[in-house]
Amino acid sequence: MDQDHYIDWMIASLRNSDLSSIPIWLLITQMHWKEILQYRRRGRRLAEALLEQFRRVCTFATVSVNEKLTTTTEACAHDGNEIFLPIQEELARLLKSFMIMNPACFIIPSSWLKYEPSLRSCLSDEETNTSAFEQLSGRNRHLLRSRDKHTRNAIEDPRPEILTLLDNIPNASNLQITSEACLQVSGNRELLIITMLEWASSLYRRGQVRVYIAVHLLRRWAKLGVDISGPVLTFLAASPAMVGLQKDNVYRIIAELVRSKHFSVGKYLQWLLARGSLSGRQSLSLGDSCEARLLCELPLHNLPDHVLNLRRILLTSVGYSTDEEAAAEDAAKATIAEQLPGLFPTFEPSGQAVPPSLDLIPLSGTAKLDLGRWVRQGIASRFQPHRVSPEPDEKATHVADSRGATITVKEAANIFRFLEHLKDFTILADVLNITSDCDDVRVLNVAVDTINRYVDVFAAIGAADGLFEGFWQRREKIQAQMPFMKSLIVSLIDLGENLPKQAALVRQLRKVVLPSERRCAIAACSPVSDHMAEALQSAESNFADELEQVLASGSSMDRQIMSRLFETVMSRIGQPGNDSLLSVDLSELLSRLRLFDTRAFDQLMHSWLDKLLQSTIRPRLLDILPTLISSGCTTLWAVVEHASSLLEGSGKIFKEGKLATDTLELLSFPAPLDRLSMHGHSIGQPSQRAYRFRKEQECIIRTHPSPLVVIIGATIRVCTEGLPVTQSSARALISSSDVGNLLRDMMIHHPKSLPELYQAFTAGPLVDQVKLAIDQLLNPGSEKDVLHEDMDSQIAAIMQVANDLNLPFCQMKLKSILSRSDATGLDSSQGSLVPTFMEAIKSSIDRGSSVWAQLIPVLDKTHTAQLREMAEAELLSYLTSSTSAISPAWQQKVTALKGLLAIVDVTDDNGIPDASASQLLTHIVETLDCVLSTFSSATSKAHMSELEESASVVGQQQLDILYLNIDVVLRLLIIHHCSFANLRSSQPNVARLLLTLSSLLIHGLLAHNAHLTTHIFDVLSLLTDSLTDDTRAACIRILSDQFKTRDPRLCFLFGYSEGIDDESLHLASTLYLSLSATTATTTTSDPKRGGMKTMTQQHFHLRRWEMMQEATPIVGENDTSLSLVLFGARKAVLQL
């Protein structure tokens, strides 16, 4: 009785059936295959049902195999998989033939990204199948909105994904995973290398390790055959336009590549001459472009003479003196030789009485590189007096054992400090490796502490594991003369914990140090005396020594004595007037006290921290806690967690203000070295404690963003609500560079916490220091006064500098601007923001930047709606004012139109109001009517048999304009099709739109433009999927009655009825109008009413079941007891 309902029920049953029922439903479906594929509405539902079942079968089979592999043998798993194999093969066969024969049924943009992998997997590698699938994929993706194109955007613009990979490198010692991931993200090697160079040299990232990660990856890719010289030169040419470029990092990367012979200096000089980069220059300063300044930053060792001569000639041509460069290098050597006379006895100073400080000597990059090599030769000559030291390469090489070689702690520390100042970590790795041959434990300790400070850099170089093993072997050799070296062992353990490959050696070192920590337990077997603990309380002098005697007096300690000793020690830590050296000694003894009962000690420490953090009169946390944290008495996370819990939900800013500022200071500032130095211990002790504390800070920033947001928000509130003294310290703290570095790291590594951070910064009034903190994120170190610039200028500047690297900071700055305008209530300013945004976005689009789209979510809904309306107004204005001539700037207009469409797409997030949608729909219909009328007039001038020649009547230029207009309108329809589908009150306009598109689809002038015709068909498919039954029936009547068309494409899309011919049926009704009313087709006089009787007629769509009789007990056509009224059937009397 109703084929549509039956087929709908059948397809729904297929989609919702379980795996055991799929075969029978597939059989039933194939019996009605022709009827289903007759119309798109049925075919689309069948395609989605088959794809869903195929995805389920594949997923279930995979899960089944995995489960069986973990429980039974692989053979059983294979047997279990055979149950689903026939169903899977049958579904794959149906889908493949279905897609080849009826691709229009697979135009499913809303679910394409979900089913695309499944459909791809069921196809063979035949060229026909692959070509058909790629065409189908392109058609579906053309119907996707930009916000839904996650996969497509990753293919078209892989830069954000590359940056995410580089920002989240898990361990610099294993960069192979990162290298492979980067190569998989982008097949464009030039884009990949340029993006990585931008990341390594960006002002918006921190750490020297980026330089050596970039060098490592470039060398690895060069071994795979990737050309790195071309992209590096392209990067140098584009560097002047890059925002926030750290040029020193660029020079260092290229210098390291020159050292390992992966970058040719000769080719660079030829490229420089060919570009004419030095033409017209009178000097070569630090502020010049990278491509020219690089001449002064390259290593010259082992370069051919002709290359050196060409470099000298080029530098002389721009007024740069190589003699002055050499003189500055000699002055630096004299300064170093004066401080290390034992290492450089043969160097003769340049004649200056007092050599200047190394910081005051203007050294070029070339001089610094040569200076580092000279320092390495000096220390190598000390350890190898009878051998010529090898030249450094990209990896540290181990130097043979040199017995009798010696170097003092002071000399080692100075050498390391010089090389750190030069930032030549490749040479420093060589020098540290040479130093591992020393027999002095103190020198070894300083060297290992230096490695610990820059362990990530040495790991990226590839030298960290070799250095660790070298110093571990040296400790093994000298342990006979010095059986216990706790400080060195602890430093080696700290180093090994950062190197995954050294876990076994770290375990051995822990076994060595553990007995020493328990030596008091071996020496005595009695509990600690209570009388000794009481005596300790009365001692005022040599407190640390007497506490050590108490700890060594027994092997066990009850909770009461531990509590008494703990309180005694804590009462002396951090008190005003106490010597900071003593505090560090006590923290070491506290770590020994913790060994007696770890659980009891931690509980005591938790209670003490609670009292300390809630106390209003206490010393700075940065003065007392780093020593306890670095010695293992407590953790920074325990402090941060406790402080954030106290600050969260607390409205007592006057009381909690100092806690917020002190905790933020503890998280961001380095530990003060004067409070980390221990009396009577080695020179490396403070640095050892400092890098331990720094590692704790970095760990908190990377793993616990939520407490940091609470602490930062509390500090910002203190800037305006706290006591005057606290306000002053909070404002200075929030605008400091250390807090800026913390904020920058948080925003890069934790993008999900950005909304909370925005809320923390914009919750209240912004004082100048908070504004400065936000500005420093975007432009660190800038002295430009941007605090009092007008909002329009700031917005334009943000849009101009925004890129993928500084996007979070631009969002923060934009958010602060908008919150300031909202807070001050400047309605006029708010009104002027939207045109400013529009102009700034257009400028970004003209530059080819797409980052502006990521700034739109920062705006509120009102501004976003205004932007959309303005973009739509400009689009419609252009479409209605297009002329027949194409101006020279036509290509610019095309770019502008695409930009406006992108703005509309990005700003239409949750649909548009019905009123705006109805008005926009009316404009779109009118525009399409104008295009259709233009086509019709052109066709009327040409003979029907000469449709291909009619293009010359209109003119190819006019056709291009019309094609562009159609493409723009189609894009608008794709963006707003959901909003148009919900317009119940504007269904006549929806019908007009569909009929106009149908006319364009079958128009002769578009027959030769297959791409546009296919796109019109796809958009029609998208729109007809959401049609109401009444609108669909109205379109069918007009197409069949007025247009007299039986085009198979339209029949397929709209679903022409081929059942009972009800086109001649009409529904008649009578209306009585006044005498002044307009009469209808048939009118008669009605004297009783004094008016006219009007007969109106309209098409009547007869449902199939309405041909049945009423339900009756008499045997007949409807002898059931079921009333058809339940199905919405209307009682009708046919008058034929």
Side-chain angles (χ1 to χ4, degrees), residues 1052-1079:
F1052 174 76
L1053 289 175
F1054 290 95
Y1056 280 47
S1057 175
E1058 296 181 359
I1060 299 175
D1061 188 9
D1062 59 353
E1063 296 178 357
S1064 60
L1065 298 179
H1066 293 80
L1067 181 65
S1069 59
T1070 303
L1071 296 177
Y1072 290 94
L1073 304 178
S1074 61
L1075 292 176
S1076 60
T1078 304
T1079 59

PDB file of all heavy atoms in Angstrom, residues 1052-1079:
ATOM      1  N   PHE A1052      15.795  11.839  -9.579  1.00  0.00           N
ATOM      2  CA  PHE A1052      16.559  11.135  -8.541  1.00  0.00           C
ATOM      3  C   PHE A1052      16.616  11.942  -7.247  1.00  0.00           C
ATOM      4  O   PHE A1052      16.473  11.397  -6.140  1.00  0.00           O
ATOM      5  CB  PHE A1052      17.972  10.865  -9.064  1.00  0.00           C
ATOM      6  CG  PHE A1052      18.901  10.273  -8.052  1.00  0.00           C
ATOM      7  CD1 PHE A1052      18.812   8.942  -7.688  1.00  0.00           C
ATOM      8  CD2 PHE A1052      19.874  11.055  -7.445  1.00  0.00           C
ATOM      9  CE1 PHE A1052      19.677   8.396  -6.746  1.00  0.00           C
ATOM     10  CE2 PHE A1052      20.740  10.527  -6.511  1.00  0.00           C
ATOM     11  CZ  PHE A1052      20.635   9.191  -6.165  1.00  0.00           C
ATOM     12  N   LEU A1053      16.800  13.262  -7.370  1.00  0.00           N
ATOM     13  CA  LEU A1053      16.949  14.105  -6.179  1.00  0.00           C
ATOM     14  C   LEU A1053      15.620  14.304  -5.447  1.00  0.00           C
ATOM     15  O   LEU A1053      15.554  14.183  -4.216  1.00  0.00           O
ATOM     16  CB  LEU A1053      17.530  15.463  -6.567  1.00  0.00           C
ATOM     17  CG  LEU A1053      19.008  15.478  -6.994  1.00  0.00           C
ATOM     18  CD1 LEU A1053      19.398  16.872  -7.469  1.00  0.00           C
ATOM     19  CD2 LEU A1053      19.902  15.053  -5.838  1.00  0.00           C
ATOM     20  N   PHE A1054      14.573  14.626  -6.201  1.00  0.00           N
ATOM     21  CA  PHE A1054      13.293  14.965  -5.569  1.00  0.00           C
ATOM     22  C   PHE A1054      12.398  13.748  -5.357  1.00  0.00           C
ATOM     23  O   PHE A1054      11.496  13.789  -4.520  1.00  0.00           O
ATOM     24  CB  PHE A1054      12.555  16.011  -6.406  1.00  0.00           C
ATOM     25  CG  PHE A1054      13.204  17.364  -6.363  1.00  0.00           C
ATOM     26  CD1 PHE A1054      14.097  17.754  -7.344  1.00  0.00           C
ATOM     27  CD2 PHE A1054      12.925  18.252  -5.331  1.00  0.00           C
ATOM     28  CE1 PHE A1054      14.701  18.993  -7.315  1.00  0.00           C
ATOM     29  CE2 PHE A1054      13.527  19.498  -5.289  1.00  0.00           C
ATOM     30  CZ  PHE A1054      14.423  19.876  -6.279  1.00  0.00           C
ATOM     31  N   GLY A1055      12.605  12.672  -6.114  1.00  0.00           N
ATOM     32  CA  GLY A1055      11.799  11.483  -5.948  1.00  0.00           C
ATOM     33  C   GLY A1055      10.435  11.613  -6.605  1.00  0.00           C
ATOM     34  O   GLY A1055       9.411  11.650  -5.917  1.00  0.00           O
ATOM     35  N   TYR A1056      10.390  11.695  -7.914  1.00  0.00           N
ATOM     36  CA  TYR A1056       9.123  11.815  -8.631  1.00  0.00           C
ATOM     37  C   TYR A1056       8.253  10.597  -8.354  1.00  0.00           C
ATOM     38  O   TYR A1056       8.721   9.459  -8.378  1.00  0.00           O
ATOM     39  CB  TYR A1056       9.377  11.906 -10.130  1.00  0.00           C
ATOM     40  CG  TYR A1056       9.785  13.268 -10.626  1.00  0.00           C
ATOM     41  CD1 TYR A1056      10.775  13.997  -9.980  1.00  0.00           C
ATOM     42  CD2 TYR A1056       9.173  13.812 -11.743  1.00  0.00           C
ATOM     43  CE1 TYR A1056      11.159  15.225 -10.432  1.00  0.00           C
ATOM     44  CE2 TYR A1056       9.549  15.050 -12.215  1.00  0.00           C
ATOM     45  CZ  TYR A1056      10.553  15.760 -11.548  1.00  0.00           C
ATOM     46  OH  TYR A1056      10.915  16.990 -12.022  1.00  0.00           O
ATOM     47  N   SER A1057       6.982  10.824  -8.149  1.00  0.00           N
ATOM     48  CA  SER A1057       6.063   9.730  -7.872  1.00  0.00           C
ATOM     49  C   SER A1057       5.708   9.019  -9.165  1.00  0.00           C
ATOM     50  O   SER A1057       5.373   9.641 -10.167  1.00  0.00           O
ATOM     51  CB  SER A1057       4.794  10.260  -7.202  1.00  0.00           C
ATOM     52  OG  SER A1057       3.861   9.226  -7.025  1.00  0.00           O
ATOM     53  N   GLU A1058       5.788   7.687  -9.137  1.00  0.00           N
ATOM     54  CA  GLU A1058       5.432   6.894 -10.315  1.00  0.00           C
ATOM     55  C   GLU A1058       4.282   5.948 -10.003  1.00  0.00           C
ATOM     56  O   GLU A1058       4.059   4.975 -10.717  1.00  0.00           O
ATOM     57  CB  GLU A1058       6.640   6.093 -10.799  1.00  0.00           C
ATOM     58  CG  GLU A1058       7.779   6.989 -11.268  1.00  0.00           C
ATOM     59  CD  GLU A1058       8.956   6.189 -11.770  1.00  0.00           C
ATOM     60  OE1 GLU A1058       8.862   4.951 -11.720  1.00  0.00           O
ATOM     61  OE2 GLU A1058       9.949   6.785 -12.210  1.00  0.00           O
ATOM     62  N   GLY A1059       3.561   6.213  -8.942  1.00  0.00           N
ATOM     63  CA  GLY A1059       2.439   5.352  -8.569  1.00  0.00           C
ATOM     64  C   GLY A1059       1.160   5.842  -9.201  1.00  0.00           C
ATOM     65  O   GLY A1059       1.054   6.066 -10.405  1.00  0.00           O
ATOM     66  N   ILE A1060       0.104   6.034  -8.399  1.00  0.00           N
ATOM     67  CA  ILE A1060      -1.189   6.500  -8.890  1.00  0.00           C
ATOM     68  C   ILE A1060      -1.043   7.900  -9.444  1.00  0.00           C
ATOM     69  O   ILE A1060      -0.430   8.773  -8.832  1.00  0.00           O
ATOM     70  CB  ILE A1060      -2.224   6.479  -7.759  1.00  0.00           C
ATOM     71  CG1 ILE A1060      -2.369   5.037  -7.262  1.00  0.00           C
ATOM     72  CG2 ILE A1060      -3.556   7.022  -8.206  1.00  0.00           C
ATOM     73  CD1 ILE A1060      -3.266   4.919  -6.068  1.00  0.00           C
ATOM     74  N   ASP A1061      -1.583   8.123 -10.594  1.00  0.00           N
ATOM     75  CA  ASP A1061      -1.483   9.444 -11.228  1.00  0.00           C
ATOM     76  C   ASP A1061      -2.509  10.368 -10.608  1.00  0.00           C
ATOM     77  O   ASP A1061      -3.672  10.385 -10.997  1.00  0.00           O
ATOM     78  CB  ASP A1061      -1.717   9.305 -12.736  1.00  0.00           C
ATOM     79  CG  ASP A1061      -1.426  10.614 -13.449  1.00  0.00           C
ATOM     80  OD1 ASP A1061      -0.897  11.528 -12.774  1.00  0.00           O
ATOM     81  OD2 ASP A1061      -1.728  10.709 -14.648  1.00  0.00           O
ATOM     82  N   ASP A1062      -2.093  11.101  -9.628  1.00  0.00           N
ATOM     83  CA  ASP A1062      -3.018  12.003  -8.941  1.00  0.00           C
ATOM     84  C   ASP A1062      -2.778  13.449  -9.341  1.00  0.00           C
ATOM     85  O   ASP A1062      -3.200  14.369  -8.651  1.00  0.00           O
ATOM     86  CB  ASP A1062      -2.884  11.851  -7.426  1.00  0.00           C
ATOM     87  CG  ASP A1062      -1.470  12.163  -6.949  1.00  0.00           C
ATOM     88  OD1 ASP A1062      -0.594  12.355  -7.819  1.00  0.00           O
ATOM     89  OD2 ASP A1062      -1.258  12.216  -5.718  1.00  0.00           O
ATOM     90  N   GLU A1063      -2.023  13.676 -10.465  1.00  0.00           N
ATOM     91  CA  GLU A1063      -1.725  15.050 -10.840  1.00  0.00           C
ATOM     92  C   GLU A1063      -2.971  15.811 -11.272  1.00  0.00           C
ATOM     93  O   GLU A1063      -3.017  17.030 -11.223  1.00  0.00           O
ATOM     94  CB  GLU A1063      -0.704  15.043 -11.974  1.00  0.00           C
ATOM     95  CG  GLU A1063       0.647  14.444 -11.554  1.00  0.00           C
ATOM     96  CD  GLU A1063       1.620  14.411 -12.711  1.00  0.00           C
ATOM     97  OE1 GLU A1063       1.195  14.797 -13.820  1.00  0.00           O
ATOM     98  OE2 GLU A1063       2.770  14.018 -12.516  1.00  0.00           O
ATOM     99  N   SER A1064      -4.055  15.077 -11.707  1.00  0.00           N
ATOM    100  CA  SER A1064      -5.280  15.762 -12.145  1.00  0.00           C
ATOM    101  C   SER A1064      -6.250  16.000 -11.009  1.00  0.00           C
ATOM    102  O   SER A1064      -7.303  16.596 -11.212  1.00  0.00           O
ATOM    103  CB  SER A1064      -5.966  14.928 -13.238  1.00  0.00           C
ATOM    104  OG  SER A1064      -6.307  13.636 -12.720  1.00  0.00           O
ATOM    105  N   LEU A1065      -5.938  15.525  -9.799  1.00  0.00           N
ATOM    106  CA  LEU A1065      -6.822  15.710  -8.659  1.00  0.00           C
ATOM    107  C   LEU A1065      -6.617  17.093  -8.069  1.00  0.00           C
ATOM    108  O   LEU A1065      -5.499  17.556  -7.908  1.00  0.00           O
ATOM    109  CB  LEU A1065      -6.550  14.642  -7.598  1.00  0.00           C
ATOM    110  CG  LEU A1065      -6.791  13.181  -8.036  1.00  0.00           C
ATOM    111  CD1 LEU A1065      -6.461  12.249  -6.897  1.00  0.00           C
ATOM    112  CD2 LEU A1065      -8.233  13.007  -8.473  1.00  0.00           C
ATOM    113  N   HIS A1066      -7.755  17.748  -7.751  1.00  0.00           N
ATOM    114  CA  HIS A1066      -7.693  19.068  -7.140  1.00  0.00           C
ATOM    115  C   HIS A1066      -8.630  19.092  -5.936  1.00  0.00           C
ATOM    116  O   HIS A1066      -9.646  18.398  -5.904  1.00  0.00           O
ATOM    117  CB  HIS A1066      -8.111  20.165  -8.141  1.00  0.00           C
ATOM    118  CG  HIS A1066      -7.151  20.329  -9.270  1.00  0.00           C
ATOM    119  ND1 HIS A1066      -7.130  19.476 -10.370  1.00  0.00           N
ATOM    120  CD2 HIS A1066      -6.178  21.252  -9.480  1.00  0.00           C
ATOM    121  CE1 HIS A1066      -6.188  19.857 -11.197  1.00  0.00           C
ATOM    122  NE2 HIS A1066      -5.585  20.940 -10.687  1.00  0.00           N
ATOM    123  N   LEU A1067      -8.291  19.902  -4.977  1.00  0.00           N
ATOM    124  CA  LEU A1067      -9.121  20.098  -3.793  1.00  0.00           C
ATOM    125  C   LEU A1067      -9.854  21.427  -3.968  1.00  0.00           C
ATOM    126  O   LEU A1067      -9.223  22.487  -4.090  1.00  0.00           O
ATOM    127  CB  LEU A1067      -8.255  20.114  -2.522  1.00  0.00           C
ATOM    128  CG  LEU A1067      -9.000  20.277  -1.206  1.00  0.00           C
ATOM    129  CD1 LEU A1067      -9.892  19.058  -0.958  1.00  0.00           C
ATOM    130  CD2 LEU A1067      -8.023  20.436  -0.050  1.00  0.00           C
ATOM    131  N   ALA A1068     -11.175  21.369  -4.013  1.00  0.00           N
ATOM    132  CA  ALA A1068     -11.994  22.573  -4.246  1.00  0.00           C
ATOM    133  C   ALA A1068     -12.536  23.082  -2.919  1.00  0.00           C
ATOM    134  O   ALA A1068     -12.933  22.307  -2.043  1.00  0.00           O
ATOM    135  CB  ALA A1068     -13.136  22.265  -5.193  1.00  0.00           C
ATOM    136  N   SER A1069     -12.606  24.403  -2.774  1.00  0.00           N
ATOM    137  CA  SER A1069     -13.157  25.027  -1.571  1.00  0.00           C
ATOM    138  C   SER A1069     -13.887  26.293  -1.980  1.00  0.00           C
ATOM    139  O   SER A1069     -13.601  26.893  -3.021  1.00  0.00           O
ATOM    140  CB  SER A1069     -12.063  25.334  -0.550  1.00  0.00           C
ATOM    141  OG  SER A1069     -11.111  26.204  -1.113  1.00  0.00           O
ATOM    142  N   THR A1070     -14.879  26.707  -1.174  1.00  0.00           N
ATOM    143  CA  THR A1070     -15.716  27.864  -1.485  1.00  0.00           C
ATOM    144  C   THR A1070     -15.426  28.965  -0.482  1.00  0.00           C
ATOM    145  O   THR A1070     -15.390  28.746   0.732  1.00  0.00           O
ATOM    146  CB  THR A1070     -17.197  27.498  -1.418  1.00  0.00           C
ATOM    147  OG1 THR A1070     -17.430  26.405  -2.314  1.00  0.00           O
ATOM    148  CG2 THR A1070     -18.055  28.680  -1.818  1.00  0.00           C
ATOM    149  N   LEU A1071     -15.239  30.180  -1.011  1.00  0.00           N
ATOM    150  CA  LEU A1071     -15.020  31.356  -0.169  1.00  0.00           C
ATOM    151  C   LEU A1071     -16.027  32.425  -0.560  1.00  0.00           C
ATOM    152  O   LEU A1071     -16.393  32.569  -1.735  1.00  0.00           O
ATOM    153  CB  LEU A1071     -13.585  31.887  -0.354  1.00  0.00           C
ATOM    154  CG  LEU A1071     -12.448  30.972   0.087  1.00  0.00           C
ATOM    155  CD1 LEU A1071     -11.118  31.627  -0.231  1.00  0.00           C
ATOM    156  CD2 LEU A1071     -12.559  30.688   1.583  1.00  0.00           C
ATOM    157  N   TYR A1072     -16.540  33.180   0.403  1.00  0.00           N
ATOM    158  CA  TYR A1072     -17.453  34.310   0.155  1.00  0.00           C
ATOM    159  C   TYR A1072     -16.695  35.597   0.422  1.00  0.00           C
ATOM    160  O   TYR A1072     -16.198  35.827   1.533  1.00  0.00           O
ATOM    161  CB  TYR A1072     -18.670  34.219   1.068  1.00  0.00           C
ATOM    162  CG  TYR A1072     -19.594  33.072   0.698  1.00  0.00           C
ATOM    163  CD1 TYR A1072     -19.464  31.835   1.315  1.00  0.00           C
ATOM    164  CD2 TYR A1072     -20.576  33.242  -0.278  1.00  0.00           C
ATOM    165  CE1 TYR A1072     -20.291  30.777   0.986  1.00  0.00           C
ATOM    166  CE2 TYR A1072     -21.423  32.192  -0.618  1.00  0.00           C
ATOM    167  CZ  TYR A1072     -21.278  30.970   0.013  1.00  0.00           C
ATOM    168  OH  TYR A1072     -22.109  29.933  -0.314  1.00  0.00           O
ATOM    169  N   LEU A1073     -16.587  36.427  -0.621  1.00  0.00           N
ATOM    170  CA  LEU A1073     -15.868  37.681  -0.516  1.00  0.00           C
ATOM    171  C   LEU A1073     -16.821  38.842  -0.678  1.00  0.00           C
ATOM    172  O   LEU A1073     -17.929  38.707  -1.191  1.00  0.00           O
ATOM    173  CB  LEU A1073     -14.784  37.757  -1.605  1.00  0.00           C
ATOM    174  CG  LEU A1073     -13.773  36.584  -1.621  1.00  0.00           C
ATOM    175  CD1 LEU A1073     -12.802  36.770  -2.782  1.00  0.00           C
ATOM    176  CD2 LEU A1073     -13.031  36.501  -0.303  1.00  0.00           C
ATOM    177  N   SER A1074     -16.363  39.994  -0.250  1.00  0.00           N
ATOM    178  CA  SER A1074     -17.154  41.213  -0.430  1.00  0.00           C
ATOM    179  C   SER A1074     -17.174  41.583  -1.904  1.00  0.00           C
ATOM    180  O   SER A1074     -16.406  41.080  -2.712  1.00  0.00           O
ATOM    181  CB  SER A1074     -16.567  42.354   0.402  1.00  0.00           C
ATOM    182  OG  SER A1074     -15.241  42.618  -0.026  1.00  0.00           O
ATOM    183  N   LEU A1075     -18.076  42.522  -2.233  1.00  0.00           N
ATOM    184  CA  LEU A1075     -18.226  42.895  -3.642  1.00  0.00           C
ATOM    185  C   LEU A1075     -16.981  43.544  -4.202  1.00  0.00           C
ATOM    186  O   LEU A1075     -16.724  43.494  -5.403  1.00  0.00           O
ATOM    187  CB  LEU A1075     -19.424  43.846  -3.783  1.00  0.00           C
ATOM    188  CG  LEU A1075     -20.782  43.206  -3.521  1.00  0.00           C
ATOM    189  CD1 LEU A1075     -21.856  44.267  -3.598  1.00  0.00           C
ATOM    190  CD2 LEU A1075     -21.064  42.081  -4.509  1.00  0.00           C
ATOM    191  N   SER A1076     -16.226  44.176  -3.320  1.00  0.00           N
ATOM    192  CA  SER A1076     -15.011  44.842  -3.796  1.00  0.00           C
ATOM    193  C   SER A1076     -13.838  43.903  -3.944  1.00  0.00           C
ATOM    194  O   SER A1076     -12.795  44.288  -4.436  1.00  0.00           O
ATOM    195  CB  SER A1076     -14.633  45.976  -2.823  1.00  0.00           C
ATOM    196  OG  SER A1076     -14.408  45.431  -1.536  1.00  0.00           O
ATOM    197  N   ALA A1077     -14.048  42.691  -3.482  1.00  0.00           N
ATOM    198  CA  ALA A1077     -12.933  41.742  -3.539  1.00  0.00           C
ATOM    199  C   ALA A1077     -12.737  41.250  -4.956  1.00  0.00           C
ATOM    200  O   ALA A1077     -13.643  41.241  -5.770  1.00  0.00           O
ATOM    201  CB  ALA A1077     -13.200  40.565  -2.602  1.00  0.00           C
ATOM    202  N   THR A1078     -11.544  40.810  -5.188  1.00  0.00           N
ATOM    203  CA  THR A1078     -11.222  40.274  -6.509  1.00  0.00           C
ATOM    204  C   THR A1078     -11.823  38.906  -6.661  1.00  0.00           C
ATOM    205  O   THR A1078     -11.675  38.055  -5.808  1.00  0.00           O
ATOM    206  CB  THR A1078      -9.696  40.186  -6.678  1.00  0.00           C
ATOM    207  OG1 THR A1078      -9.152  41.478  -6.453  1.00  0.00           O
ATOM    208  CG2 THR A1078      -9.315  39.709  -8.069  1.00  0.00           C
ATOM    209  N   THR A1079     -12.563  38.699  -7.757  1.00  0.00           N
ATOM    210  CA  THR A1079     -13.235  37.422  -7.964  1.00  0.00           C
ATOM    211  C   THR A1079     -12.250  36.385  -8.443  1.00  0.00           C
ATOM    212  O   THR A1079     -11.199  36.694  -9.022  1.00  0.00           O
ATOM    213  CB  THR A1079     -14.351  37.588  -9.007  1.00  0.00           C
ATOM    214  OG1 THR A1079     -13.753  38.045 -10.210  1.00  0.00           O
ATOM    215  CG2 THR A1079     -15.393  38.543  -8.525  1.00  0.00           C
TER     216      THR A1079
END
